[in-house]
Amino acid sequence: MSGATGQLLENLNALAGGLFLLAAFGMVATRQARGCLNLFITQSLLLAASAALLGLRYGSEHLYGVAVVNLISKPIIVPWLLRKTSPGEVYTRREVEQVLNIPTSLLIALALVVLAYFLGRPISNSVASQFRGPNIAIGIAGLLLGAYTLTVRREALPLLLGVLAMENGAFFTGIAISRNLPMLVELAIATDGLIVVFIMGVLTRAVQKHAGTTAVGELATLKEAAAESPAQAAKEEALAK
Amino acid sequence: MSVLIILLIPLVATALVCIPLKRAWPMAVTVVANAALLVLTTNIAWRLAAGGPFVSAPPVWMLKWISVDGLGALIVLLISLVATTAAIFSIGYLGHENLAPGKLRLYYANYNLFIFSMVAIPVLAEPTLVWIVVELTTLCSALLVSFDNTTEALEASWKYVLLSLLGAGFALFGFLVLFAAMQASGSSQPYTWSGLIAAAPRMPPVLLQTAFVFILVGLGTKVGLVPMHTWLPDAHSQAPSPVCALLSGVETTAILYVILRMFPVMQAAPNSHADAWAILLGLISVGTAAFLLLQVSDYKRMFAFSTVEHMGVILTAVGLGTSAASYGAMQQIVAHSVTKSFCFFAAGATLLVVGTREIAAVRSLIRRSPAAGAALVLGGLAITGAPPLAVFLSEFSILKAGVTQSRYIVTGLLAVFIVIAFFGIMLHVNRIVFGASDEDRTDGLEDKPIDGKKHPDTPSQQSNNPIIQQSVNPIPLSCKLALVLASVPVLLLGVYIPKPLHDLLALAAGALTK
């Protein structure tokens, strides 16, 4: 591979990385569930693009495999599975009340990205030069932003997508630093991701049937209310009469 | 070859229970399959304890990543033991509910898949594959946790899945970094647990430590270590009792096993602080759980918190680092698994008898159902480490190891927390089983003879009594059988550790210390 082409591929990869991060931000900021899903699909496509570019750059067939697995599983199978399992309501829901409002969320997300940069730097310094690149810090940022989404969202679909986005983030780093992982492992992880979608979809349907909402984060009956609970039950019963 | 059969048995059982036959069919298949698994794993553990070589599958394709050593054999043995007793307990527990046949098959299919995912953890030696099966344990058990299909069970299941997957995301990152560390060490060893130990001295410390912290926190979420434990009492209390026995008794230890696998790797590397991390997280878990135990209101949650406590004890013991402490940790893993499963069977029997999980709503259980009451007392005593039962012996050897090492602060804190937990649990158990005297004596004199009618005057009685008195179901025979079977190791291991088990424990402890 000539130096100029290599440089071009690396620049394109950096562009994909930048857009990947942007998509992660978008998922933090989007209220619409469907918008979240579209951003997640974009993010997965960018992950595939980055894997393909790095594969081309370093002549790694294994990374092409990662790209193909991502192209098939996330943009195609995940939405299909979601349609099959979860109630249609999850798409139309809009989160009006998040735990934190969106500007605050974005500020925290920004802080997380800075943190990711500092976490990524020592890792980047201790791997061989061919494994370095923007992927490490951006992947960690994706991981942290996904985790952040999980803690502040209340709706089922954004939560589910947060889990998958975390996985995307881990992989975005993975394709740079551990690209010789056996293909089989990659496939198995992708399959696991699909099972995640299936199980969470089924659970969402059950929750919606029982509680009449897909805002799973609002379920909060189980906690340590030791002293009150019997008394409270008595009170409620008294009120019922 | 026998290792492959371990993995095949639960899969075949899953396929078999899906065949729509009589109600007894899936139950019988599950009991037989898990008993066969128990025989097989006992055999493997026996051979390893007698000094046999590691048991591996033929080294072709992905089978080269399948092998069982002493530590793995111990975990897989415990899983199959609890899986068998829980299968027996399930018969009576589900039998009385009159479930639709489809739902029953769903339960057993999930049950066997869950067993598969758990036995795969110690059997696989490749860390990323282990990560995959760890995630599978969450996914296979999610529908078991929500099996009762109440709003609470669904909430518990959501929390369980969400937080476990959150942890799994961090752990995945950890394992990918670990792979990078392996590559950077220039080692030609395969990416397996033993290959990692060999490569550890030449790994870049930053990568190894990053990987360790992410794996510890990520998988620690699923073990229920304290800052990340919030889902555990929910999931472990809302699931059907036999499933609780599996979740609390062996799933947590199986995941903890993965964390423990990282310790020899960290010890092989220069100046790692794995031990300090273990002691810190371990003590925080034990302490928090001990104090939370004092204020639980649900007896299944109580046993769930006790799991958090035990995981902390094991992690602290491993953090102490000597071979004596590691041996104690292994003993504690065994004692925890057998005792906690027994406790959840006892709790399940109590639930069958009284129909409520509220501690406040159950009094004088010993009179209602002597069997359930006695089981609950034995379970409470056993799990809190009363002599001469299994947990006592293991906790004693951990504390002894701590004292001989002159780690007085750690040992002292551990001892204090264990004592607090003892009082916490026994306080509640005592109230449930013998507690008639307190509340009932004032109005119980007239209440008792007309058993079945509630008291209109006192509000607390009003809310509690109807639940207790509408149902005094007998405990099904299979549940009693499971209780008796599960109580054997609880009683036996407190006074006598058979030679082969001792060898196996020593072998497993040896795998932990470099």
Side-chain angles (χ1 to χ4, degrees), chain B residues 23-246:
Chain B
R23 288 174 69 85
W25 167 253
M27 299 178 173
V29 167
T30 306
V31 171
V32 170
N34 285 302
L37 195 63
L38 178 60
V39 172
L40 191 65
T41 51
T42 314
N43 180 25
I44 288 180
W46 193 286
R47 270 188 291 158
L48 280 169
F54 289 2
V55 189
S56 327
V60 284
W61 197 47
M62 73 169 289
L63 300 183
K64 63 182 178 232
W65 291 312
I66 296 178
S67 84
V68 179
D69 65 349
L71 182 54
L74 181 70
I75 303 292
V76 84
L77 175 66
L78 290 173
I79 294 171
S80 55
L81 175 67
V82 176
T84 309
T85 46
I88 298 173
F89 192 84
S90 294
I91 299 174
Y93 191 81
L94 294 179
H96 92 115
E97 275 185 42
N98 229 349
L99 291 166
K103 184 113 173 142
L104 200 66
R105 281 198 296 275
L106 180 76
Y107 173 87
Y108 278 104
N110 258 306
Y111 184 97
N112 285 307
L113 269 182
F114 183 38
I115 303 297
F116 165 75
S117 60
M118 280 198 292
V119 292
I121 294 175
V123 165
L124 290 172
E126 209 260 11
T128 31
L129 286 180
V130 171
W131 178 85
I132 291 164
V133 286
V134 165
E135 188 162 292
L136 270 184
T137 57
T138 309
L139 299 171
C140 295
S141 53
L143 295 183
L144 287 176
V145 171
S146 68
F147 186 75
D148 283 348
N149 224 350
T150 57
T151 314
E152 287 85 13
L154 286 168
E155 179 192 340
S157 187
W158 248 101
K159 263 193 193 169
Y160 171 51
V161 171
L162 210 58
L163 284 168
S164 298
L165 292 181
L166 176 73
F170 283 118
L172 174 63
F173 181 78
F175 281 121
L176 291 176
V177 173
L178 193 63
F179 186 79
M182 183 88 181
Q183 274 185 328
S185 75
S187 160
S188 57
Q189 297 268 349
Y191 184 47
T192 57
W193 297 122
S194 48
L196 276 171
I197 298 176
R202 278 169 292 123
M203 285 182 190
V206 176
L207 290 189
L208 186 54
Q209 274 167 16
T210 313
F212 176 74
V213 172
F214 272 92
I215 292 171
L216 179 67
V217 171
L219 295 183
T221 310
K222 202 151 157 34
V223 173
L225 298 178
V226 151
M228 300 85 77
H229 71 289
T230 48
W231 63 271
L232 190 142
D234 300 342
H236 290 197
S237 65
Q238 295 300 323
S241 294
V243 178
C244 294
L246 284 171

Side-chain angles (χ1 to χ4, degrees), chain B residues 26 44 141 207 303 305 388 433 451 471:
Chain B
I44 288 180
S141 53
L207 290 189
F303 287 129
F305 273 117
V433 179
D451 210 13
S471 53

Side-chain angles (χ1 to χ4, degrees), chain A residues 123 140 150 166 170 177-178 180-181 184 188 192 196 199-200 204 206-207 210 216 219-222 224 226, chain B residues 62 132 135 139 149 152 154-155 157-159 162 165-166 173 176 179-180 183 207 234 238 295-296 301 305:
Chain A
I123 295 180
I140 299 176
L150 284 190
M166 274 185 85
I177 60 171
S178 44
N180 300 327
L181 213 59
L184 188 92
D192 252 22
V196 168
I199 295 285
M200 290 178 98
T204 312
V207 168
H210 262 266
V216 288
L219 300 176
T221 45
L222 296 167
E224 241 46 56
Chain B
M62 73 169 289
I132 291 164
E135 188 162 292
L139 299 171
N149 224 350
E152 287 85 13
L154 286 168
E155 179 192 340
S157 187
W158 248 101
K159 263 193 193 169
L162 210 58
L165 292 181
L166 176 73
F173 181 78
L176 291 176
F179 186 79
Q183 274 185 328
L207 290 189
D234 300 342
Q238 295 300 323
Q295 52 140 12
V296 286
R301 279 179 89 86
F305 273 117

Side-chain angles (χ1 to χ4, degrees), chain A residues 1-10 57:
Chain A
M1 179 147 310
S2 72
T5 331
Q7 193 58 45
L8 176 68
L9 288 175
E10 267 172 33
R57 171 78 179 80

